Amino acid sequence: MGTPEKNPVGETAPAGDGRERRTDTLKKAWYRFSRNKLSVVGLAVVTLVVLLALLAPVVSPHPQHASAYTDFANSCAPPSAEFPLGADNMGRDILTRVIFSLRGALYMAVIVLAISVPVGSFLGIMAGYMKNSWVDYLIMRVTDVFLSVPALLLALAVASLLEPNLTNAMIAVTIMWWPWYARLVYGMASSCRNEYYVISAELIGAGRLHIIFREILPNCLAPVFTKMALDVGWVILIGATLSYVGLGEQPPTPSLGQMVADGARYMPEAWWMTIFPSLAIVVVILGFNFLGDGIGDMLARGENRHD
Amino acid sequence: MNLSDFILKRAVMSVIVLAGLSVVIFVVARIVPGDPARLALGSTASETALETFRTENHLLEPLPVQYAYWIGGVLQGNFGLSTGTKRPVAKDILEFLPATLEMALLAALMLIVFSIAIGALAARRRNSFIDGAVRVLSYIGIALPGFVVATLLLLLFGSLWPVIPVLGRLSPGLTPPQAITGFYTIDSLIRLNLPLFWNAFLHLLVPAAALCLGGLCQEARLVRSAMIENSGRDFLTAMRGYGVPERVLAGKYLLKPSLIPAVSCMGMDVAALMSNAFLIEVIFDWPGISRYGMTAMLAKDLNAISGVILIFGAIFVIVNIIVDIVVAWLDPRIRLGGA
């Protein structure tokens, strides 16, 4: 990855009053973000997905199909004007169910990250600041233990031992997610801790809390934000995997993984039952990936990127 | 630090990690809602049978004592009885593990070979049509969940275009070769039974491809960016100045350092292979340890779940040590600088 070069765009000190400077910073951030067209595509996709999820009852063609609804006359109806993406074996509109399942997927991603990011970052920063103390060893060895098994595997195990529902799926994934942030922030914090600004803060007698949260933490945030944007996609993926095996959201509430699993039984005749939910998963994950890359470009100043 | 010290240090760390993992699994398996005796014996068991089961399995002792009994057994290769198969979990694992390893090894091989080949090709023809195609496909490959790939491949080869068999390890009617390694391909080769080898190999192809696709796409991208990044380095200009031919330059001086990020990532990916195998095996009806583990999970078969997760943890840890050694070999700075 090499040493990052200084980007003149990011480094020039803008003149003028505070507001001008702020719009200037925003403009530069947008420039760095939008240099890669894929990031803009990602932003558009993510905005669309969030809007669809929020407005699901309004925008979906048949909101009543998002629950236990049966209409056997339209069982496995192919895509048509009434059912843009076809209907499932119960005669329910696939498009409606895809839109509604975005809600659960996003909800899960938000809750999982809202818990695991602060917890992981806090443990990581503590361990990094107290490098080579018992706190460091304790926290980082526990982190290693959790990272020693593939996340999906332990999430599957935990979810299967609890009652299968969305809450327990979120608990299982959260348990697996915080160690990644602990390790990421640990790496940043333990290198920051020897920087001059930390040492000088220590010299003038700043308290530990001040050093950890005001001196070190702000310098660890950029990669954390980047990873968060990427991780929304990955949490949705792992959530879809859990619901695919029946350990996530329970029917009749729709979820993407469960729709793929149900549809697979009607392949290849009713291909729309599987293909469209699968496509939705791919599009959502790609969207968050592109967005995450864009945020990375925006926050990592001047680093040369090749893709 | 020399290589043997480095390996020793990693090995000691791994033992600590595995010990920690055993505690985590034990605690998770014990705090589940429900009575383990009831789970093991079923809802029809009598109260006396439950009582006997609890005493025999030390379920009335405090948790640390229970853990000591359990880990003592595990260290002797005794994971307890599976409530699903009614057999020792260790025996089940020995029976089902080779099928998974066979598939995962082929998947890992495909992942390594194709990701390096595709990544290097894309980097050498930068901004060509091939490069663009690789970049787009790699993004889609990353975002495609393993179970979707598997479902689509099953549809393709199972019903639309049945040129490759996709279900199980052998076509119905064929007898598996006598177990030596447990790998059908290798066992049939040892017995010089070529038709059987070919059949087993064909059955391996699609599940292995489904398994490695996601990692492959990611590694190809990493190899590509690392090669492009390194192509402007001074040491290459210097070597070119010495008159080293371009072919040698690309293979020896450019490719080797460019593999470092990909190889460090591959450890993670091989682990991901094993966990993705959980769904792939269910979908392709592959009688491996993951399908066994999945069945155990859905039936809350505690001993089997703990056994499978510990085995996976051990495999993951071993793979990571191997990856660290390979990276140390590729990158003298890690070896000599002392990590």
Side-chain angles (χ1 to χ4, degrees), chain B residues 5-326:
Chain B
D5 284 354
F6 180 75
I7 296 171
L8 188 72
K9 198 179 151 198
R10 291 290 287 115
V12 172
M13 288 285 298
S14 310
V15 173
I16 298 174
V17 163
L18 281 180
L21 180 63
S22 72
V23 175
V24 171
I25 294 165
F26 180 81
V27 171
V28 168
R30 287 300 179 274
I31 57 168
V32 291
D35 176 4
R38 187 57 84 187
L39 276 176
L41 299 179
S43 51
T44 53
S46 69
E47 202 48 51
T48 30
L50 291 176
E51 235 9 89
T52 328
F53 182 88
R54 288 192 193 110
T55 344
E56 272 176 6
N57 291 283
H58 317 288
L59 290 178
L60 300 170
E61 313 266 357
L63 268 187
V65 180
Q66 286 190 36
Y67 174 75
Y69 276 114
W70 178 73
I71 196 74
V74 166
L75 289 176
Q76 293 165 32
N78 173 16
F79 291 91
L81 282 178
S82 155
T83 53
T85 58
K86 314 279 180 213
R87 300 195 315 166
V89 171
K91 213 173 160 184
D92 285 342
I93 289 178
L94 278 182
E95 184 181 329
F96 293 121
L97 190 58
T100 299
L101 287 182
E102 190 178 23
M103 180 166 83
L105 279 177
L106 182 66
L109 191 72
M110 287 161 101
L111 190 150
I112 293 167
V113 171
F114 288 117
S115 63
I116 294 175
I118 294 173
L121 185 72
R124 287 195 67 177
R125 308 254 171 91
R126 197 180 167 191
N127 296 329
S128 68
F129 171 74
I130 297 177
D131 187 25
V134 166
R135 282 161 71 188
V136 171
L137 284 179
S138 71
Y139 264 125
I140 293 173
I142 290 167
L144 258 182
F147 63 89
V148 171
V149 177
T151 311
L152 295 181
L153 286 178
L154 185 63
L155 170 72
L156 178 64
F157 292 111
S159 48
L160 297 182
W161 190 41
V163 285
I164 303 179
V166 279
L167 287 178
R169 293 181 79 184
L170 285 176
S171 298
L174 290 178
T175 359
Q178 206 182 1
I180 302 168
T181 56
F183 291 16
Y184 283 6
T185 47
I186 294 181
D187 286 350
S188 55
L189 268 190
I190 294 175
R191 306 249 162 231
L192 295 173
N193 188 342
L194 284 182
L196 195 63
F197 165 77
W198 187 241
N199 192 281
F201 180 71
L202 285 181
H203 276 86
L204 265 175
L205 272 183
V206 179
L211 196 51
C212 74
L213 192 74
L216 198 161
C217 295
Q218 207 160 345
E219 301 314 337
R221 247 182 88 194
L222 279 178
V223 171
R224 175 188 172 275
S225 353
M227 278 187 83
I228 290 174
E229 194 164 308
N230 284 332
S231 60
R233 289 288 170 85
D234 290 344
F235 61 79
L236 279 177
T237 319
M239 281 299 155
R240 198 169 279 130
Y242 284 133
V244 175
E246 282 297 320
R247 282 181 60 90
V248 180
L249 211 61
K252 190 173 172 189
Y253 294 99
L254 177 56
L255 188 61
K256 199 173 151 186
S258 304
L259 291 182
I260 295 167
V263 171
S264 355
C265 224
M266 272 175 200
M268 285 296 173
D269 274 343
V270 173
L273 284 185
M274 299 295 284
S275 67
N276 281 331
F278 263 75
L279 295 152
I280 306 282
E281 287 190 0
V282 174
I283 294 169
F284 288 109
D285 198 24
W286 190 261
I289 187 91
S290 305
R291 202 187 62 170
Y292 172 73
M294 199 70 232
T295 319
M297 282 178 187
L298 295 177
K300 297 200 179 186
D301 184 347
L302 296 184
N303 286 334
I305 298 175
S306 324
V308 168
I309 293 187
L310 266 187
I311 291 293
F312 270 78
I315 292 173
F316 186 22
V317 161
I318 293 168
V319 168
N320 270 318
I321 295 182
I322 296 173
V323 167
D324 281 349
I325 295 170
V326 174

Side-chain angles (χ1 to χ4, degrees), chain A residues 21 48 52 187 214 286 289-290:
Chain A
R21 199 173 303 154
L48 182 70
L52 281 178
R214 299 305 295 270
L286 269 185
N289 257 292
F290 291 159

